[in-house]
Amino acid sequence: MIEIFANFWRSLRRHCGTRLHQLIALGLLSFFLVTGCSLQEFRTEAAQVSQLVFVSPSDPATFNAPLNTSAYSIFGFINEGLITQNGLTAELEPGLAESWEISDDNLSITFTLRENLKWSDGEPLTADDIVFSYNDVYLNEKVPTGIKDILRIGSEGKFPTVKKIDDRQVQFTVPEPFAPFLRYAGGISILPKHALEEAVQTTEKDGDLKFLSTWGTDTDPTKIVGAGPYRMIEYVPSQRVVFERNPYYWRQDEQGNQQPYIERIVLQIIESDDNQLIAFRSGELDSLDVKAEQFRLLKREEDRGKYSIYNGGPESTTRFISFNLNKALDANGEPFVDPIKSQWFNTLAFRQAVAYAIDRQRMIDYIYRGLGTFQNSPVNLKSPFYLSEAEGLKVYNYNPEKAKELLVNAGFKYDYRDELYDAEGNRVRLTLLVKSEEKSRVDTAVQIQQDLKKIGIRADLQVVNFNTVIQRLQSRNWEAYVGAFGGGGVEPHSGYNIWYSRGSLHQFNQAPQPGEQGITGWEASDWELEIDRLFQEGVRELDESKRKEIYGEFQQIVAEQLPFFYLVNALSFEAVRDRIQNVKYSSLGGAFWNLYEQKVDDSVRQLNR
């Protein structure tokens, strides 16, 4: 199954695009700014080898792919799956597997690996590694990985079986038909048995597997083994990650030349959008994810800056506001959410009132400079399963008077200052969590704060870095959140770990996860359980038209219940230096989904190069 933590899809497509196994992540390709090290040193080295420099607004959280929960990672460079996805067409293509065969009953897939595959340390890569990756890691009940969520099949949540046929063949079998089976079976990053087996088999004194503390970001990056196009050679926290071409990577061109052609990648850590823009304009960076507020300036400078801005249409990212609906108690018997506020959040009229109160057209006009469109559904706009407003999807157009009416009818009341109180006389006040690295998201939170004030709700902003946001969400220590998930491509089930009531990314009502102790009182609502049922039905159904009906019901429930209220879908723009050849841009794959076949032409003059 594709490593598709739904919020990771967007970052994947930027670096190496749509390799299915990369769906866990990558971060935003962008550009090069050196801190804490001599800039001239990098320029000198760059003159000796072909090099691209991208950006991430956050450090990687781990070097251990199954444990990663961050959108900003390095796995798209260093890892590989059995199959890949074409960034233009979304068609599946061979990866580590040169071919596959599906049984007549659609219950098994047999993959045949390429000959003489090797890991980045030169060790052979065989069917044993495939079986190890799934049976010993991804399906290991002691490994808390979200990959399990999208590998569950049927109402009983059974997993596929994986067995070795010979050194080059491995067979996956499912207990019942499973529509996205091929994409999922082939898409996850394969892990090196020779490097990780001991860690999986060793239990620490606290009862946890040694694997859970293996390959953290304090590990020597040269010790991390993968099968992707690059391997890490340096990591300086808060500054950069450096990769060199993997000499054992399987790809070659028709003439037998080693791919990728570009020898080195620098992933620079730069939190601020403004600093990223400055670095790109100065010519230090090779690519920039263009924000709406940056577009006009950068468009004027295209010729002088020797770059091109590509437009891929609406992004697949879903931006939203969400409330913490969790009613559970922590290990100390204390509620995760203040019971008074929990009662507000779990009142449907309250959530719907907030939806009506948010002026999304204003967001498009002022925050996104007109370069965006309404997002009403968790399903990708370009997916054949998307349910539109014209097809009956419930939407919430800006209507603050309707919002106030809903609140009053639900027992809330206003004082003479038009401030909102609940039926027990508690002032309606909440904290809105948002990550600091993305200006447009902070601006969105500010506008939501202003819009809620108009219906009497006081929202206090809590702007923190992204890793802190992740920690707060995982600990259930939050009230309201302005966030985003990367689009999961055209397959709705790619978001199963968000929508499954016990999924690892079911943030609005996070169930106890494997290994967590002492959490009591958690419960799933009837509509959450109905979504579980629809997803199970959706993957069993192989008829596309019937699947569309099933996922249409799912979208209607989300629109009615509003665990997330979706905001604005920005247009996808990326600025890429003209020195980079063979760019095939799409909103699905980004500019670098085919990084392995791209080249650098240094005869094209660059600023400050």
Side-chain angles (χ1 to χ4, degrees), residues 89-101:
T89 66
E91 293 180 358
L92 300 179
E93 298 178 343
L96 296 176
E98 65 179 14
S99 64
W100 56 88
E101 182 177 349

Side-chain angles (χ1 to χ4, degrees), residues 562-573:
L562 293 175
F564 302 109
F565 174 56
Y566 294 99
L567 301 170
V568 171
N569 193 312
L571 298 183
S572 172
F573 296 104

Side-chain angles (χ1 to χ4, degrees), residues 83 150 220 358 400 460 483 543 566 579 607:
I83 58 178
I150 56 174
D220 179 352
I358 296 175
D460 301 313
D543 182 285
Y566 294 99
R579 63 194 286 266
L607 298 178

